[in-house]
Amino acid sequence: MLEAIFFLPLLTGLLTLCLPVRSGRVVLMAVALLHLGLTGFCWLHAPAPHLPTYFGNGPAGVLVLLVISFIFVCIAPYSIFYMREQEMRSEPIFLGCMQLFLGTMSMAALADHPIVLWIAIEATTLASAPLIFINRSKKALEATWKYVLICSVGIALALLGFFFITLALDRAGIDVPLTFSALNEAARQLDPLWLRTGFIFVLIGFGTKMGLAPMHTWLPDAHSEAPSPASALLSGALLNCAFLGIYKVHCLMVLAGLGEFSGSLLIGFGLLSIAVAGIFILNQPDYKRMLAYSSIENMGVIALGIGVGGLGLYGAMLHLIHHSLLKSSLFLSAGNLVLGFGTKLVAQCGGMARLLPRTCLGFFAGFLGISGLPPFGIFVSELMILTGAIQTGHPIAAGLFIAALVLVVAGFARIATDMAFGPVREEVLVPEQTVRIVPPLALLATSVLLCVWMPEPLYETITSTIAMIGGTLHG
Amino acid sequence: MNTGIDVVLVVILLSVLLSLASSRMMALVKIMALQGAMVSIAPLLLDEHSPLSNEGILFFQLMFLIKAALIPGLLYLAVTKVAIKREVEPIVGYHASLVVGLGLILLSAYITHHLGISLTGDAALLLIAAITTLGGGLFLMMSRTKAITQVIGYLMLENGIYLVGTALTGQSHSIYLVEFGVLLDLLVGVMIMGIILHNINRTFDDVDTAYLGQLKD
């Protein structure tokens, strides 16, 4: 039953590849709604997996699954109307790969076997590559090539890391199945040297996919060259899957008593990512690239939060949810902007408030949110991570974190002013359309809503996700 | 000592050295086919290998088919369709590459002896071959300008990682369904890379990675 969540989009995705465009669009929309329904069912009834050796519904997995599913439901109608405005030669491929991408990401979220998780994450790379080069421009080709090659090589290293973790299990001489749940129970007996080596490789491997600096080089290219709905999925859903891989191994490390080691590595990579992203955001002429760098920054914040532990863990999980909501909303608004103005350069987007008023509203509200200003959730989560860092005795990390955040906010502010005061254009290429305005605004509204009212099951899932490695809300 | 596995491992090591020294794209593809065949039969020749189950036999046949026939076949198609100039065009010269390859073997032997795990005779040799293949693949990716050689380097890296897995982990963990998933990923990956290569070639009239330098900050 649990497996249906990823089998359904995989099957319909393959089917859509050979269907005509019109019915393909209907299938995409139906699958998005059905997937959300199945995810809801999974949350309420926690169905048992058919293949418990490979899949399971751990709290971290279902949390990521819910985020993916919710974002996909918002992106699916948008992408249908976005594609209608563009002369698209191969729309069936786009529609099919969107569903395959959803299927592989759901599989990654539900995987409990390390190698199955690896297979699913490598499959996400392959399913999303056609989404990026769908336009077949020179730049899109370059971006796709870098994406496929850098991520494949990176993820290959993660496979090596999982072999080392298996070795740690063999060296301990205990006979348990190779699943994360079984490994967690036997964590204390595992060979610490090989566990450490394994973690380093997994962190580098999945860190490449998650966009942690200095392995992030594919990310700005892929996110800026992909069509906007695909960018929104890449940034809002895919990065979380790669994070989940790192998080699961980090949990194993903490349970094995090596949390100090893995935590400090996560803090290091996290801070480096925030700083690198801050520097590149500061003078970024291309707003989609700027959003991509902001994703690197936010992934860094999540890694930092997980690394410091305590209250930071809760903050990191909250940050994951709100970053996905806000960033996919921003990418969707950016898509409207690309359609309207036909450019990705900040300097040529003057007069946005007059020509595209509703897009402007969504875009700037998203800007406020992603810079960490209230009433959006990132304000709360970043505050929690900061408090967590100070409580757990990482004052230097907290200081660097604040400094890097200032850089990021400065970059955002500069772009906002450039967009407001740039040379005013006379007309737009494609006017605004309500169907393309509602999804980004709905995502923003969800972020605000989650700040004032968090449903009980969601709260409980987050706390049980972090309780395993000693994170509390009242730390 | 088991001579069968020794022969296979020596052929794998030689294939790495040959691939570093070869100047023709076609030769490189043939070497990859040989290496794929050797890598897929290596686990069968290990001493501790238990008798195969039915699904095991099926898996090894599939792996041989994919690694030694399907993937090199795809590469062959890519080379005949894509590469107008059939030279490899190295950044690092062939002789220097060969020296790097020999250095890699020495380094792998050093690493294997200092790992602090007691490996049986076969597994130690296997690990040396595995790390050399892994390093050779990475080096090939970095030191050649053609995009297609990067794919070949990636395949070599995967071969190396598969061998590391065979050398280090016990047979009890190999669930063939899971390993088949890994293989399927590899196959689809090469297909997608092939499609992108084709498009790169059509757009730029060449597959030199020097053309892929527009996107940067």
Side-chain angles (χ1 to χ4, degrees):
Chain A
M1 182 58 220
L2 189 67
E3 285 84 353
I5 297 177
F6 62 82
F7 259 120
L8 170 81
L10 287 180
L11 284 178
T12 53
L14 288 175
L15 186 71
T16 311
L17 289 178
C18 6
L19 281 179
V21 173
R22 250 168 214 288
S23 32
R25 287 174 182 161
V26 176
V27 172
L28 177 72
M29 208 47 237
V31 165
L33 289 171
L34 213 54
H35 189 269
L36 187 64
L38 280 172
T39 307
F41 180 77
C42 170
W43 270 72
L44 295 177
H45 299 284
H50 252 303
L51 302 162
T53 20
Y54 305 129
F55 301 103
N57 43 4
V62 292
L63 186 68
V64 169
L65 182 69
L66 181 66
V67 173
I68 293 170
S69 193
F70 182 76
I71 288 177
F72 195 83
V73 161
C74 295
I75 293 175
Y78 177 94
S79 62
I80 291 171
F81 287 94
Y82 183 86
M83 284 298 149
R84 269 172 56 170
E85 303 294 345
Q86 289 210 319
E87 291 299 313
M88 181 60 62
R89 274 179 297 177
S90 36
E91 203 183 316
I93 296 182
F94 186 84
L95 296 171
C97 283
M98 286 280 276
Q99 292 168 52
L100 288 176
F101 192 29
L102 174 70
T104 50
M105 284 192 296
S106 315
M107 187 172 160
L110 294 173
D112 194 33
H113 188 289
I115 312 284
V116 173
L117 176 69
W118 184 89
I119 294 170
I121 292 190
E122 172 69 17
T124 57
T125 313
L126 303 175
S128 53
L131 297 179
I132 301 174
F133 91 105
I134 201 91
N135 286 330
R136 299 193 196 171
S137 64
K138 286 185 177 182
K139 286 180 173 173
L141 276 172
E142 181 187 340
T144 319
W145 186 252
K146 281 187 189 166
Y147 172 59
V148 172
L149 217 63
I150 294 175
C151 283
S152 294
V153 171
I155 296 173
L157 294 180
L159 183 61
L160 200 56
F162 282 136
F163 283 142
F164 289 144
I165 293 173
T166 317
L167 181 64
L169 181 67
D170 283 351
R171 302 269 297 162
I174 35 175
D175 189 30
V176 290
L178 187 63
T179 59
F180 280 112
S181 14
L183 282 172
N184 283 344
E185 277 167 29
R188 284 271 165 199
Q189 293 157 275
L190 300 178
D191 186 282
L193 173 70
W194 288 104
L195 211 51
R196 276 201 194 124
T197 322
F199 179 77
I200 294 175
F201 275 93
V202 171
L203 181 62
I204 292 176
F206 286 159
T208 309
K209 186 91 191 199
M210 184 181 163
L212 292 180
M215 296 89 71
H216 66 278
T217 45
W218 64 272
L219 197 146
D221 299 347
H223 286 215
S224 63
E225 294 308 322
S228 291
S231 318
L233 263 190
L234 283 174
S235 191
L238 174 67
L239 302 184
N240 296 343
C241 291
F243 160 74
L244 187 65
I246 295 176
Y247 180 73
K248 284 189 168 172
V249 182
H250 175 65
C251 284
L252 182 61
M253 293 292 282
V254 173
L255 292 174
L258 301 166
E260 196 78 6
F261 172 76
S262 58
S264 42
L265 272 178
L266 281 170
I267 293 175
F269 275 108
L271 284 174
L272 185 65
S273 308
I274 305 172
V276 166
I279 292 164
F280 279 105
I281 285 177
L282 205 53
N283 260 322
Q284 189 54 251
D286 177 333
Y287 54 86
K288 272 187 92 178
R289 277 185 95 79
M290 189 270 302
L291 291 178
Y293 277 111
S294 157
S295 290
I296 298 173
E297 179 242 335
N298 283 295
M299 286 299 127
V301 173
I302 294 174
L304 174 72
I306 296 294
V308 296
L311 191 58
L313 280 170
Y314 189 85
M317 288 298 161
L318 215 55
H319 198 87
L320 181 144
I321 298 171
H322 287 291
H323 166 250
S324 295
L325 292 170
L326 292 174
K327 187 52 64 65
S328 41
S329 161
L330 272 168
F331 268 118
L332 296 186
S333 298
N336 287 337
L337 209 51
V338 172
L339 282 183
F341 288 159
T343 174
K344 285 186 279 192
L345 293 178
V346 176
Q348 294 174 16
C349 288
M352 188 173 146
R354 191 166 57 80
L355 294 168
L356 302 169
R358 290 178 293 171
T359 303
C360 183
L361 174 71
F363 207 55
F364 282 99
F367 260 24
L368 291 184
I370 211 82
S371 328
L373 295 173
F376 296 98
I378 283 187
F379 171 70
V380 184
S381 60
E382 281 181 349
L383 201 61
M384 278 182 175
I385 291 171
L386 203 55
T387 320
I390 292 165
Q391 277 176 354
T392 52
H394 296 92
I396 301 173
L400 289 172
F401 179 42
I402 296 175
L405 280 185
V406 170
L407 264 185
V408 172
V409 174
F412 275 122
R414 202 193 61 85
I415 284 165
T417 45
D418 275 9
M419 279 188 165
F421 298 112
V424 177
R425 298 165 66 112
E426 288 310 312
E427 59 196 7
V428 288
L429 303 173
V430 181
E432 286 181 328
Q433 222 183 344
T434 312
V435 273
R436 284 188 283 111
I437 300 294
V438 174
L441 291 182
L443 287 163
L444 287 176
T446 316
S447 175
V448 177
L449 181 70
L450 281 181
C451 267
V452 286
W453 175 72
M454 169 126 18
E456 198 61 23
L458 187 60
Y459 173 76
E460 276 167 15
T461 306
I462 298 179
T463 44
S464 62
T465 303
I466 60 176
M468 191 161 54
I469 51 173
T472 51
L473 186 50
H474 312 288
Chain B
M1 281 301 255
N2 181 341
T3 43
I5 183 78
D6 285 352
V7 171
V8 166
L9 291 178
V10 167
V11 175
I12 292 176
L13 279 180
L14 282 178
S15 73
V16 174
L17 292 179
L18 262 176
S19 69
L20 290 177
S22 67
S23 62
R24 295 272 147 185
M25 210 63 97
M26 259 329 161
L28 210 50
V29 173
K30 284 173 192 155
I31 294 166
M32 282 316 292
L34 176 70
Q35 194 182 71
M38 291 300 135
V39 165
S40 50
I41 56 174
L44 290 172
L45 297 170
L46 279 178
D47 273 342
E48 65 260 42
H49 201 88
S50 50
L52 283 174
S53 60
N54 276 340
E55 58 171 0
I57 294 170
L58 185 68
F59 168 72
F60 278 105
Q61 281 175 342
L62 272 176
M63 177 153 93
F64 191 83
L65 188 71
I66 292 178
K67 284 210 164 170
L70 270 178
I71 290 178
L74 283 171
L75 288 176
Y76 179 86
L77 276 182
V79 170
T80 46
K81 278 200 169 179
V82 161
I84 304 153
K85 291 173 238 147
R86 304 283 172 86
E87 294 277 356
V88 169
E89 292 178 34
I91 300 170
V92 182
Y94 301 116
H95 292 106
S97 301
L98 208 53
V99 173
V100 171
L102 292 170
L104 273 174
I105 297 180
L106 283 180
L107 186 70
S108 323
Y110 179 82
I111 293 174
T112 308
H113 284 292
H114 287 77
L115 276 182
I117 40 174
S118 51
L119 291 163
T120 51
D122 280 348
L125 271 180
L126 187 55
L127 197 57
I128 295 176
I131 300 174
T132 309
T133 316
L134 211 162
L138 273 178
F139 180 74
L140 207 59
M141 288 186 88
M142 290 184 289
S143 64
R144 305 288 186 264
T145 55
K146 286 273 168 70
I148 193 159
T149 24
Q150 294 185 334
V151 182
I152 291 174
Y154 167 66
L155 282 173
M156 209 144 116
L157 176 81
E158 277 278 356
N159 279 344
I161 288 173
Y162 177 75
L163 283 177
V164 171
T166 322
L168 290 184
T169 58
Q171 288 296 324
S172 58
H173 294 298
S174 50
I175 307 169
Y176 297 118
L177 192 64
V178 171
E179 291 188 16
F180 180 67
V182 176
L183 213 52
L184 201 63
D185 265 350
L186 188 64
L187 183 64
V188 178
V190 173
M191 273 165 70
I192 288 184
M193 286 175 191
I195 296 171
I196 306 170
L197 264 179
H198 179 67
N199 277 293
I200 290 177
N201 190 48
R202 236 188 14 199
T203 316
F204 295 96
D205 290 325
D206 200 354
V207 284
D208 198 317
T209 45
Y211 292 103
L212 302 176
Q214 292 186 337
L215 296 171
K216 55 185 150 208
D217 281 303

